[in-house]
Amino acid sequence: MQNLEELKNQVKKCKKCELCSNNATKVFGKGNEYAEIMIIGEAPGEKEEIDGIPFVGRAGEKLNKYLKEAGFDKEKDIYFANVLKCRTTDKNNNKKDRRPQEDEIKNCRTFLKQQIEIINPKFIILCGVTAMKFFKITEPLKNIHGKEISKNGRKIYPVYHPVARVKDEIKINDLKNIKRKIKEQNE
Ligand code: URA
């Protein structure tokens, strides 16, 4: 298995799909690579693409706020990554982000898969439906947000994406419950 830096270099060189065609900035990951919790989002947005770092735009600001209120220390406790390493913009409207397509998720799959293997988190929080798709979780998010699913020896928790039109209270509560479950399992 390669290390995180080698994988990052491999991602940098990727030309698998149209998203990389104009030398798009790849957004790999951030946070504590030895953390036991990994948070997986969808794809970088405009700010993430500029900075080359995941979750630094509006979604990131919201996520930081929710994590803080739920008692997580994001620098210490968490490693962050996305399903896609390139920004997905609408061809007809270059400024507007869109949901990743199935073929794009498939093309990028190997990178997140290896990233998870290297980080080897005990717990994975999935932000939104694209991250759920990666794990082939098909139940509606409204039925399983904040719940625990066991997969390949890891505990997986789907939650609403930070910019989903759902009350802050619900998103914070889910994270609080997850924090409690993680604490119980580490006792
Ligand atoms: N920024 C990210 O890095 N991921 C998302 O899912 C949304 C915004």
Side-chain angles (χ1 to χ4, degrees), residues 77-101:
D77 297 342
I78 302 169
Y79 182 84
F80 298 80
N82 284 310
V83 175
L84 256 60
K85 308 306 184 205
C86 289
R87 186 179 173 205
T88 52
T89 44
D90 207 315
K91 260 198 183 144
N92 303 319
N93 180 356
N94 196 33
K95 286 274 181 292
K96 206 166 157 26
D97 292 296
R98 60 161 173 80
R99 277 263 161 87
Q101 295 160 359

mmCIF file of all heavy atoms in Angstrom, residues 77-101:
data_model
loop_
_atom_site.group_PDB
_atom_site.id
_atom_site.type_symbol
_atom_site.label_atom_id
_atom_site.label_comp_id
_atom_site.label_asym_id
_atom_site.label_seq_id
_atom_site.Cartn_x
_atom_site.Cartn_y
_atom_site.Cartn_z
ATOM 1 N N ASP A 77 -9.452 15.507 16.050
ATOM 2 C CA ASP A 77 -10.268 14.282 15.990
ATOM 3 C C ASP A 77 -10.517 13.746 14.586
ATOM 4 O O ASP A 77 -10.956 12.608 14.440
ATOM 5 C CB ASP A 77 -11.674 14.542 16.581
ATOM 6 C CG ASP A 77 -11.647 14.923 18.050
ATOM 7 O OD1 ASP A 77 -10.626 14.655 18.690
ATOM 8 O OD2 ASP A 77 -12.651 15.474 18.541
ATOM 9 N N ILE A 78 -10.310 14.601 13.546
ATOM 10 C CA ILE A 78 -10.924 14.258 12.256
ATOM 11 C C ILE A 78 -9.992 14.427 11.054
ATOM 12 O O ILE A 78 -9.183 15.355 10.997
ATOM 13 C CB ILE A 78 -12.185 15.138 12.035
ATOM 14 C CG1 ILE A 78 -13.174 14.927 13.190
ATOM 15 C CG2 ILE A 78 -12.872 14.826 10.704
ATOM 16 C CD1 ILE A 78 -14.308 15.894 13.254
ATOM 17 N N TYR A 79 -10.163 13.516 10.085
ATOM 18 C CA TYR A 79 -9.559 13.703 8.758
ATOM 19 C C TYR A 79 -10.718 13.877 7.765
ATOM 20 O O TYR A 79 -11.695 13.134 7.814
ATOM 21 C CB TYR A 79 -8.703 12.482 8.383
ATOM 22 C CG TYR A 79 -8.021 12.657 7.056
ATOM 23 C CD1 TYR A 79 -6.811 13.347 6.959
ATOM 24 C CD2 TYR A 79 -8.583 12.161 5.878
ATOM 25 C CE1 TYR A 79 -6.190 13.540 5.729
ATOM 26 C CE2 TYR A 79 -7.971 12.345 4.652
ATOM 27 C CZ TYR A 79 -6.773 13.038 4.581
ATOM 28 O OH TYR A 79 -6.166 13.231 3.366
ATOM 29 N N PHE A 80 -10.600 14.876 6.895
ATOM 30 C CA PHE A 80 -11.683 15.219 5.958
ATOM 31 C C PHE A 80 -11.284 14.891 4.514
ATOM 32 O O PHE A 80 -10.161 15.201 4.100
ATOM 33 C CB PHE A 80 -11.960 16.734 5.980
ATOM 34 C CG PHE A 80 -12.417 17.282 7.297
ATOM 35 C CD1 PHE A 80 -11.498 17.555 8.315
ATOM 36 C CD2 PHE A 80 -13.763 17.544 7.528
ATOM 37 C CE1 PHE A 80 -11.914 18.082 9.533
ATOM 38 C CE2 PHE A 80 -14.179 18.084 8.745
ATOM 39 C CZ PHE A 80 -13.258 18.350 9.745
ATOM 40 N N ALA A 81 -12.210 14.333 3.761
ATOM 41 C CA ALA A 81 -11.968 14.102 2.328
ATOM 42 C C ALA A 81 -13.316 14.115 1.593
ATOM 43 O O ALA A 81 -14.378 14.140 2.222
ATOM 44 C CB ALA A 81 -11.270 12.766 2.113
ATOM 45 N N ASN A 82 -13.247 14.089 0.287
ATOM 46 C CA ASN A 82 -14.462 14.064 -0.527
ATOM 47 C C ASN A 82 -14.485 12.829 -1.425
ATOM 48 O O ASN A 82 -13.442 12.248 -1.709
ATOM 49 C CB ASN A 82 -14.512 15.303 -1.428
ATOM 50 C CG ASN A 82 -14.905 16.546 -0.666
ATOM 51 O OD1 ASN A 82 -15.892 16.563 0.059
ATOM 52 N ND2 ASN A 82 -14.123 17.604 -0.828
ATOM 53 N N VAL A 83 -15.673 12.503 -1.923
ATOM 54 C CA VAL A 83 -15.794 11.403 -2.882
ATOM 55 C C VAL A 83 -15.056 11.778 -4.170
ATOM 56 O O VAL A 83 -14.298 10.989 -4.721
ATOM 57 C CB VAL A 83 -17.285 11.103 -3.183
ATOM 58 C CG1 VAL A 83 -17.421 10.050 -4.278
ATOM 59 C CG2 VAL A 83 -18.012 10.657 -1.925
ATOM 60 N N LEU A 84 -15.272 12.993 -4.635
ATOM 61 C CA LEU A 84 -14.589 13.484 -5.842
ATOM 62 C C LEU A 84 -13.452 14.428 -5.465
ATOM 63 O O LEU A 84 -13.594 15.203 -4.512
ATOM 64 C CB LEU A 84 -15.589 14.233 -6.739
ATOM 65 C CG LEU A 84 -16.060 13.461 -7.975
ATOM 66 C CD1 LEU A 84 -16.757 12.182 -7.551
ATOM 67 C CD2 LEU A 84 -16.985 14.300 -8.807
ATOM 68 N N LYS A 85 -12.395 14.371 -6.231
ATOM 69 C CA LYS A 85 -11.250 15.250 -5.945
ATOM 70 C C LYS A 85 -11.271 16.511 -6.815
ATOM 71 O O LYS A 85 -10.449 17.403 -6.629
ATOM 72 C CB LYS A 85 -9.929 14.502 -6.157
ATOM 73 C CG LYS A 85 -9.848 13.172 -5.412
ATOM 74 C CD LYS A 85 -10.135 13.306 -3.926
ATOM 75 C CE LYS A 85 -9.945 11.993 -3.188
ATOM 76 N NZ LYS A 85 -10.753 11.933 -1.953
ATOM 77 N N CYS A 86 -12.171 16.554 -7.785
ATOM 78 C CA CYS A 86 -12.294 17.742 -8.639
ATOM 79 C C CYS A 86 -13.671 18.377 -8.455
ATOM 80 O O CYS A 86 -14.642 17.687 -8.127
ATOM 81 C CB CYS A 86 -12.160 17.369 -10.108
ATOM 82 S SG CYS A 86 -10.497 16.895 -10.588
ATOM 83 N N ARG A 87 -13.729 19.669 -8.701
ATOM 84 C CA ARG A 87 -14.997 20.389 -8.616
ATOM 85 C C ARG A 87 -15.895 19.986 -9.796
ATOM 86 O O ARG A 87 -15.397 19.777 -10.904
ATOM 87 C CB ARG A 87 -14.710 21.888 -8.669
ATOM 88 C CG ARG A 87 -15.932 22.728 -8.434
ATOM 89 C CD ARG A 87 -15.572 24.203 -8.470
ATOM 90 N NE ARG A 87 -16.762 25.009 -8.415
ATOM 91 C CZ ARG A 87 -16.850 26.236 -8.892
ATOM 92 N NH1 ARG A 87 -15.794 26.799 -9.457
ATOM 93 N NH2 ARG A 87 -17.981 26.909 -8.798
ATOM 94 N N THR A 88 -17.181 19.898 -9.534
ATOM 95 C CA THR A 88 -18.133 19.580 -10.599
ATOM 96 C C THR A 88 -18.969 20.811 -10.901
ATOM 97 O O THR A 88 -19.793 21.223 -10.084
ATOM 98 C CB THR A 88 -19.085 18.443 -10.170
ATOM 99 O OG1 THR A 88 -19.654 18.809 -8.909
ATOM 100 C CG2 THR A 88 -18.379 17.126 -10.041
ATOM 101 N N THR A 89 -18.727 21.388 -12.068
ATOM 102 C CA THR A 89 -19.538 22.562 -12.426
ATOM 103 C C THR A 89 -20.399 22.240 -13.634
ATOM 104 O O THR A 89 -20.061 21.392 -14.456
ATOM 105 C CB THR A 89 -18.656 23.783 -12.751
ATOM 106 O OG1 THR A 89 -17.597 23.354 -13.571
ATOM 107 C CG2 THR A 89 -18.112 24.429 -11.507
ATOM 108 N N ASP A 90 -21.480 22.946 -13.718
ATOM 109 C CA ASP A 90 -22.409 22.768 -14.821
ATOM 110 C C ASP A 90 -21.764 23.310 -16.093
ATOM 111 O O ASP A 90 -21.259 24.422 -16.083
ATOM 112 C CB ASP A 90 -23.681 23.567 -14.486
ATOM 113 C CG ASP A 90 -24.869 22.968 -15.159
ATOM 114 O OD1 ASP A 90 -24.736 22.654 -16.351
ATOM 115 O OD2 ASP A 90 -25.903 22.817 -14.490
ATOM 116 N N LYS A 91 -21.788 22.523 -17.154
ATOM 117 C CA LYS A 91 -21.160 22.951 -18.416
ATOM 118 C C LYS A 91 -21.763 24.251 -18.936
ATOM 119 O O LYS A 91 -21.072 25.103 -19.478
ATOM 120 C CB LYS A 91 -21.351 21.865 -19.470
ATOM 121 C CG LYS A 91 -20.133 21.015 -19.635
ATOM 122 C CD LYS A 91 -20.191 20.272 -20.942
ATOM 123 C CE LYS A 91 -18.998 19.363 -21.056
ATOM 124 N NZ LYS A 91 -19.320 18.133 -21.724
ATOM 125 N N ASN A 92 -23.079 24.385 -18.762
ATOM 126 C CA ASN A 92 -23.762 25.564 -19.309
ATOM 127 C C ASN A 92 -23.655 26.760 -18.376
ATOM 128 O O ASN A 92 -24.003 27.866 -18.747
ATOM 129 C CB ASN A 92 -25.238 25.244 -19.555
ATOM 130 C CG ASN A 92 -25.355 24.066 -20.480
ATOM 131 O OD1 ASN A 92 -24.603 23.971 -21.450
ATOM 132 N ND2 ASN A 92 -26.254 23.153 -20.157
ATOM 133 N N ASN A 93 -23.251 26.500 -17.164
ATOM 134 C CA ASN A 93 -23.143 27.593 -16.203
ATOM 135 C C ASN A 93 -21.927 27.298 -15.329
ATOM 136 O O ASN A 93 -22.028 26.673 -14.290
ATOM 137 C CB ASN A 93 -24.436 27.672 -15.371
ATOM 138 C CG ASN A 93 -24.372 28.786 -14.364
ATOM 139 O OD1 ASN A 93 -23.341 29.453 -14.219
ATOM 140 N ND2 ASN A 93 -25.460 28.996 -13.657
ATOM 141 N N ASN A 94 -20.817 27.757 -15.773
ATOM 142 C CA ASN A 94 -19.530 27.376 -15.196
ATOM 143 C C ASN A 94 -19.381 27.713 -13.705
ATOM 144 O O ASN A 94 -18.531 27.183 -13.018
ATOM 145 C CB ASN A 94 -18.406 28.025 -16.011
ATOM 146 C CG ASN A 94 -17.072 27.371 -15.720
ATOM 147 O OD1 ASN A 94 -17.034 26.173 -15.459
ATOM 148 N ND2 ASN A 94 -16.023 28.141 -15.725
ATOM 149 N N LYS A 95 -20.222 28.586 -13.229
ATOM 150 C CA LYS A 95 -20.093 28.998 -11.831
ATOM 151 C C LYS A 95 -20.868 28.083 -10.878
ATOM 152 O O LYS A 95 -20.642 28.077 -9.687
ATOM 153 C CB LYS A 95 -20.626 30.429 -11.667
ATOM 154 C CG LYS A 95 -19.701 31.499 -12.234
ATOM 155 C CD LYS A 95 -18.658 31.902 -11.191
ATOM 156 C CE LYS A 95 -17.742 32.985 -11.694
ATOM 157 N NZ LYS A 95 -16.853 32.560 -12.768
ATOM 158 N N LYS A 96 -21.816 27.343 -11.440
ATOM 159 C CA LYS A 96 -22.727 26.615 -10.558
ATOM 160 C C LYS A 96 -22.253 25.171 -10.317
ATOM 161 O O LYS A 96 -21.997 24.435 -11.261
ATOM 162 C CB LYS A 96 -24.117 26.612 -11.211
ATOM 163 C CG LYS A 96 -25.237 26.483 -10.239
ATOM 164 C CD LYS A 96 -26.534 26.835 -10.915
ATOM 165 C CE LYS A 96 -27.752 26.232 -10.254
ATOM 166 N NZ LYS A 96 -27.708 25.915 -8.871
ATOM 167 N N ASP A 97 -22.146 24.807 -9.040
ATOM 168 C CA ASP A 97 -21.769 23.432 -8.716
ATOM 169 C C ASP A 97 -22.962 22.513 -8.956
ATOM 170 O O ASP A 97 -24.100 22.915 -8.802
ATOM 171 C CB ASP A 97 -21.344 23.348 -7.244
ATOM 172 C CG ASP A 97 -20.042 24.087 -6.998
ATOM 173 O OD1 ASP A 97 -19.029 23.670 -7.554
ATOM 174 O OD2 ASP A 97 -20.054 25.090 -6.264
ATOM 175 N N ARG A 98 -22.673 21.302 -9.346
ATOM 176 C CA ARG A 98 -23.742 20.317 -9.540
ATOM 177 C C ARG A 98 -23.355 19.017 -8.840
ATOM 178 O O ARG A 98 -22.189 18.812 -8.493
ATOM 179 C CB ARG A 98 -23.999 20.084 -11.032
ATOM 180 C CG ARG A 98 -22.761 19.569 -11.760
ATOM 181 C CD ARG A 98 -23.068 18.907 -13.080
ATOM 182 N NE ARG A 98 -21.849 18.594 -13.799
ATOM 183 C CZ ARG A 98 -21.084 17.541 -13.566
ATOM 184 N NH1 ARG A 98 -21.415 16.660 -12.622
ATOM 185 N NH2 ARG A 98 -19.980 17.318 -14.256
ATOM 186 N N ARG A 99 -24.350 18.143 -8.681
ATOM 187 C CA ARG A 99 -24.101 16.821 -8.089
ATOM 188 C C ARG A 99 -23.181 15.997 -8.987
ATOM 189 O O ARG A 99 -23.355 16.012 -10.201
ATOM 190 C CB ARG A 99 -25.427 16.050 -7.995
ATOM 191 C CG ARG A 99 -26.258 16.377 -6.801
ATOM 192 C CD ARG A 99 -25.999 15.332 -5.704
ATOM 193 N NE ARG A 99 -26.419 15.848 -4.414
ATOM 194 C CZ ARG A 99 -27.677 15.735 -3.951
ATOM 195 N NH1 ARG A 99 -28.607 15.136 -4.658
ATOM 196 N NH2 ARG A 99 -27.976 16.217 -2.772
ATOM 197 N N PRO A 100 -22.229 15.263 -8.410
ATOM 198 C CA PRO A 100 -21.408 14.376 -9.238
ATOM 199 C C PRO A 100 -22.262 13.305 -9.923
ATOM 200 O O PRO A 100 -23.263 12.842 -9.371
ATOM 201 C CB PRO A 100 -20.473 13.717 -8.219
ATOM 202 C CG PRO A 100 -20.472 14.612 -7.050
ATOM 203 C CD PRO A 100 -21.824 15.247 -6.998
ATOM 204 N N GLN A 101 -21.835 12.913 -11.139
ATOM 205 C CA GLN A 101 -22.546 11.865 -11.874
ATOM 206 C C GLN A 101 -21.952 10.499 -11.512
ATOM 207 O O GLN A 101 -20.805 10.423 -11.083
ATOM 208 C CB GLN A 101 -22.385 12.092 -13.383
ATOM 209 C CG GLN A 101 -23.050 13.360 -13.860
ATOM 210 C CD GLN A 101 -22.502 13.844 -15.198
ATOM 211 O OE1 GLN A 101 -21.599 13.241 -15.781
ATOM 212 N NE2 GLN A 101 -23.029 14.945 -15.668
#
